[in-house]
Amino acid sequence: MASNQQTRPGIGELAKDNVRGRIGVVMDEVGGRVQIRPICGGMEWDAMPDNVVALRAREELSARLAIRNCNSRDGL
């Protein structure tokens, strides 16, 4: 049976904070908030779980390209 509900991204997955319009990697869920790290590193921010969603295909492609660009700049 298929579900129409979209599941929230898990730890280590790309996600979007709809309130801030930012994309990052889910790091943890603490105190009822989701902690998200920017895709190229930096300070994590907290988001309410209801505002954290999986990326659409185009957003995910763009985010994965940005990650590769960050890694190439860092020599990885």
Side-chain angles (χ1 to χ4, degrees), residues 7-9 15-18 26 34 36 47-54:
T7 59
R8 188 175 44 215
K16 182 175 183 179
D17 177 352
N18 273 336
V26 175
V34 178
I36 305 173
M48 296 304 292
D50 291 342
N51 298 327
V52 177
V53 297

Side-chain angles (χ1 to χ4, degrees), residues 20-41:
R20 290 195 169 109
R22 294 178 67 188
I23 293 174
V25 179
V26 175
M27 300 307 289
D28 204 354
E29 189 167 340
V30 177
R33 296 186 184 254
V34 178
Q35 294 181 325
I36 305 173
R37 179 180 52 83
I39 56 176
C40 289

Side-chain angles (χ1 to χ4, degrees):
M1 175 186 245
S3 172
N4 289 336
Q5 279 189 325
Q6 186 176 13
T7 59
R8 188 175 44 215
I11 293 174
E13 295 181 334
L14 290 167
K16 182 175 183 179
D17 177 352
N18 273 336
V19 170
R20 290 195 169 109
R22 294 178 67 188
I23 293 174
V25 179
V26 175
M27 300 307 289
D28 204 354
E29 189 167 340
V30 177
R33 296 186 184 254
V34 178
Q35 294 181 325
I36 305 173
R37 179 180 52 83
I39 56 176
C40 289
M43 184 81 104
E44 294 176 4
W45 75 90
D46 291 342
M48 296 304 292
D50 291 342
N51 298 327
V52 177
V53 297
L55 302 181
R56 291 178 281 159
R58 177 169 276 197
E59 291 171 323
E60 183 167 355
L61 180 61
S62 178
R64 291 194 182 281
L65 179 59
I67 290 168
R68 287 186 64 94
N69 287 338
C70 291
N71 289 341
S72 69
R73 281 192 293 270
D74 295 337
L76 299 177

